[in-house]
Amino acid sequence: MDKKIEKNELEVLLDRGFTFEVQHQEPRPRRWWQRIFGVKRYENKIEKFTFKEPTLAVLDRVSLEYMDLEQAADDIAKFGESVAKRVAYKQADTMARIIAIFALGEKIFNPDFSENTDEFKRVSGIMAHAFTPSKMVQIVALLSTLSNIPAFLNTIRLIGTTRTTGNRIG
């Protein structure tokens, strides 16, 4: 019974998506005398990001980044919580990229299906500076649960083993 309720809640969450706000500082244009004297001006900006159910292209792009976290997850499982914080600090950039991919969704790709690297770098930088590593771990865990990334990766592995063993003749 609880599994059905949880599944229904996840479906509603995926349909609507969930939105969160991130506050960061952006440089403002400077006047000529501020450039001469090295005066820097920043303004606080709040951006809203919405996570919705990812498409296959987004899942494929996220799986590239997620592969980096697999070794870290194995280390945490092997050595326990004592290693978790060290691994989280090392993998913070990877987690920021994963959050940025989910936040951008299909906007990560240009109309010709190439990657929009400028926007991706900007958003992943915002995510890297907006969250602590422990908060990133929670967000990445939530996103991987919502998008069912582990099952997607296991399916890819299963197809890979089926392909390599199925091509034998004789």
Side-chain angles (χ1 to χ4, degrees):
M1 185 71 176
D2 291 331
K3 296 256 185 196
K4 288 182 182 180
I5 294 171
E6 185 176 324
K7 185 177 179 183
N8 289 338
E9 288 175 356
L10 282 175
E11 287 176 5
V12 167
L13 188 59
L14 285 175
D15 288 340
R16 288 187 196 156
F18 63 95
T19 303
F20 71 96
E21 296 178 347
V22 176
Q23 182 178 357
H24 64 95
Q25 290 185 343
E26 272 192 5
R28 291 177 56 189
R30 300 182 295 174
R31 298 188 178 164
W32 65 271
W33 58 270
Q34 291 172 327
R35 287 191 294 268
I36 291 173
F37 294 115
V39 176
K40 296 185 179 186
R41 294 173 38 174
Y42 294 98
E43 67 177 314
N44 289 333
K45 190 171 183 181
I46 296 175
E47 284 195 51
K48 289 185 179 182
F49 296 102
T50 302
F51 292 118
K52 290 190 175 184
E53 186 174 13
T55 62
L56 188 57
V58 174
L59 278 177
D60 190 34
R61 177 64 180 91
V62 132
S63 65
L64 289 173
E65 299 293 338
Y66 202 83
M67 294 287 196
D68 293 341
L69 291 179
E70 278 192 351
Q71 182 62 37
D74 292 341
D75 289 347
I76 291 172
K78 186 187 290 183
F79 299 113
E81 291 296 320
S82 62
V83 184
K85 284 190 177 182
R86 270 184 273 144
V87 170
Y89 281 109
K90 289 179 184 177
Q91 298 294 329
D93 287 337
T94 305
M95 290 185 283
R97 287 192 303 268
I98 289 173
I99 296 170
I101 291 168
F102 275 110
L104 288 173
E106 279 295 315
K107 294 177 198 167
I108 196 171
F109 301 110
N110 291 325
D112 63 346
F113 300 110
S114 63
E115 192 171 295
N116 187 354
T117 55
D118 294 335
E119 183 69 7
F120 176 61
K121 285 180 182 177
R122 186 185 77 79
V123 174
S124 63
I126 289 171
M127 299 301 171
H129 292 287
F131 299 115
T132 61
S134 59
K135 187 71 171 174
M136 280 191 211
V137 169
Q138 292 174 351
I139 293 171
V140 169
L142 174 69
L143 292 173
S144 66
T145 301
L146 287 177
S147 62
N148 209 4
I149 293 258
F152 179 71
L153 292 176
N154 288 334
T155 304
I156 290 172
R157 283 192 200 111
L158 181 63
I159 290 171
T161 57
T162 304
R163 278 184 152 175
T164 56
T165 57
N167 290 338
R168 291 191 174 180
I169 299 174

